[in-house]
Amino acid sequence: MEVKIGVQHAPREIVLESGQSAEEVERAVAEALAGKSELLKLADEHGRKILVPADRVAYVEIGEPAGRKVGFGAL
């Protein structure tokens, strides 16, 4: 699952491939924005943890996993 996180006052967004489901990511974002947690905590598919201060989250885009392209042909 591809997740993009926009952070206030940061020129680039955080992009990660997460092994979590869309519902789990949405629940974590909702809890962080509701003030239940000071940090937005997500894990990528390599086991790394991404921590973003909840008050600095500008947006979160939850997408489908991107398939890897193989070959040399132009599509």
Side-chain angles (χ1 to χ4, degrees):
M1 167 87 28
E2 182 181 63
V3 179
K4 294 181 182 178
I5 305 169
V7 181
Q8 294 176 6
H9 310 294
R12 295 177 53 188
E13 62 191 10
I14 299 170
V15 180
L16 65 123
E17 284 290 329
S18 178
Q20 297 171 296
S21 69
E23 291 80 19
E24 291 173 326
V25 173
E26 188 174 346
R27 187 178 318 114
V29 172
E31 288 177 0
L33 295 179
K36 294 181 182 178
S37 174
E38 292 183 19
L39 295 172
L40 171 59
K41 302 173 188 176
L42 297 175
D44 72 0
E45 58 186 19
H46 300 289
R48 295 178 289 211
K49 293 184 181 182
I50 291 80
L51 306 172
V52 180
D55 62 342
R56 297 287 184 215
V57 174
Y59 65 89
V60 177
E61 183 179 316
I62 303 170
E64 292 298 317
R68 296 184 185 250
K69 296 180 182 177
V70 178
F72 299 101
L75 296 177

